[in-house]
Amino acid sequence: MGTADRWLTVIALVSVPTVMVGGYTLMRLTAAGRLDAFQLALFRAGHAHAGVLLVLTLTALGIAARAGLSDPYTWVVGGLLAAGTISQSGGFFLHAAIGRPGAWSFGNTMTVGGAAALTAALLALAHGVATG
């Protein structure tokens, strides 16, 4: 495992408890009736995406390590994965805070940008594995 694989994996693993706290927060806000149906749906989507995308990140970093990708290449892939995960899941939370049902907000734009970053990361990883 290279330096990039090691540090990016540590960052992803340390991020997992933040998703766990998010689940607890979702449970508390739901029990207290503090979220309307629109906010609840988006909070759930943001929380689920964050957890799944962290698992994807850990899997992708394992693939990068096994493929023996260079540290600079792995930093690029890891950076795109981190930016994509934060943007995609964070966009749901932002839209819940500032958006309205049926209307576009910057939260939607963040979510789409996150999807683009994740796509770029996975295509770069696939390229690195195929040519590595």
Side-chain angles (χ1 to χ4, degrees), residues 15-107:
S15 299
V16 171
T18 66
V19 177
M20 296 163 63
V21 168
Y24 173 76
T25 302
L26 174 59
M27 181 181 66
R28 296 288 301 202
L29 290 172
T30 302
R34 300 204 46 206
L35 300 173
D36 62 29
F38 172 73
Q39 292 170 321
L40 180 59
L42 289 164
F43 202 122
R44 283 180 177 160
H47 177 66
H49 277 78
V52 169
L53 294 173
L54 274 175
V55 171
L56 171 68
T57 297
L58 289 166
T59 302
L61 292 172
I63 292 168
R66 284 192 306 281
L69 300 182
S70 70
D71 270 356
Y73 201 94
T74 302
W75 279 114
V76 169
V77 169
L80 286 167
L81 286 166
T85 298
I86 291 166
S87 296
Q88 177 136 61
S89 59
F92 286 106
F93 296 115
L94 184 59
H95 188 61
I98 67 170
R100 294 184 329 270
W104 193 268
S105 77
F106 185 70

